Amino acid sequence: MSDVNVSMSGNDVNVVVGPLQYFGSFYSTQDQTSAGANTANKMTPNTTDISNGVSIVSNSRITIANAGVYNIQFSAQLDKTDGGNDVVDIWLSKNGTNVANSNTQITLHSNDGKHVAAWNFFVNAAAGDYYELCWSSPDAAVFINYVASQSTPTRPATPSVILTVNKVG
């Protein structure tokens, strides 16, 4: 499927034909807490910035309307409220099934041990496929932290999760 863009300036006519772009930009304005130790949790972006052909369904499902290769990128503000060191696992699932070899482990150190998890997955999606970003820790005190806007100096809020999805092929 192609997009046709036509622009005119004086006697010149420019016609640009290219692929229709599918994308989505989403984020979360809330803390995301664990449902319990060693429990698979889903990252839940609750705000759509912009999107075309990509949506969030049922709070956590990154739903692709059109087939193609997509780049799913995210960042998550990991935090914890107790002492010691704790591992956090983050992985991708497709249509409710864990994607093989997609897990990464991060270790948070000590109380208030913050860490930003940020990476991407390339996926070959069929129309209607959905993906979820999953996470788990043996410590229920681990959470994904939202920080409201701050002052001195004035700065914007920090979403707990930022997610962007782009069709790349």
Side-chain angles (χ1 to χ4, degrees):
M1 182 177 258
S2 295
D3 236 358
V4 176
N5 297 309
V6 178
S7 63
M8 296 172 63
S9 176
N11 292 330
D12 297 328
V13 176
N14 295 317
V15 178
V16 178
V17 178
L20 189 58
Q21 298 299 310
Y22 300 114
F23 55 85
S25 177
F26 313 93
Y27 58 93
S28 178
T29 59
Q30 60 194 17
D31 283 350
Q32 300 191 27
T33 57
S34 175
N38 298 311
T39 301
N41 303 287
K42 313 290 190 207
M43 295 186 196
T44 55
N46 65 356
T47 303
T48 299
D49 183 22
I50 57 173
S51 70
N52 181 40
V54 179
S55 60
I56 303 297
V57 176
S58 300
N59 299 319
S60 63
R61 294 179 175 181
I62 306 160
T63 305
I64 309 295
N66 302 280
V69 175
Y70 287 80
N71 188 5
I72 299 173
Q73 310 100 36
F74 77 95
S75 67
Q77 298 280 121
L78 303 173
D79 203 346
K80 62 191 252 63
T81 57
D82 63 0
N85 296 334
D86 295 303
V87 172
V88 180
D89 289 273
I90 300 174
W91 68 95
L92 188 68
S93 74
K94 177 180 181 178
N95 299 325
T97 301
N98 293 337
V99 174
N101 301 305
S102 67
N103 189 54
T104 297
Q105 292 187 327
I106 296 172
T107 301
L108 301 179
H109 301 281
S110 69
N111 185 31
D112 203 27
K114 294 176 173 43
H115 189 90
V116 175
W119 54 87
N120 63 304
F121 299 99
F122 277 82
V123 298
N124 191 4
D129 278 348
Y130 71 88
Y131 296 84
E132 292 175 292
L133 295 167
C134 307
W135 66 281
S136 179
S137 176
D139 186 346
V142 170
F143 67 106
I144 305 176
N145 190 21
Y146 170 78
V147 179
S149 58
Q150 300 174 64
S151 60
T152 316
T154 301
R155 52 200 182 275
T158 304
S160 55
V161 173
I162 298 172
L163 167 69
T164 58
V165 182
N166 303 18
K167 185 173 186 288
V168 295

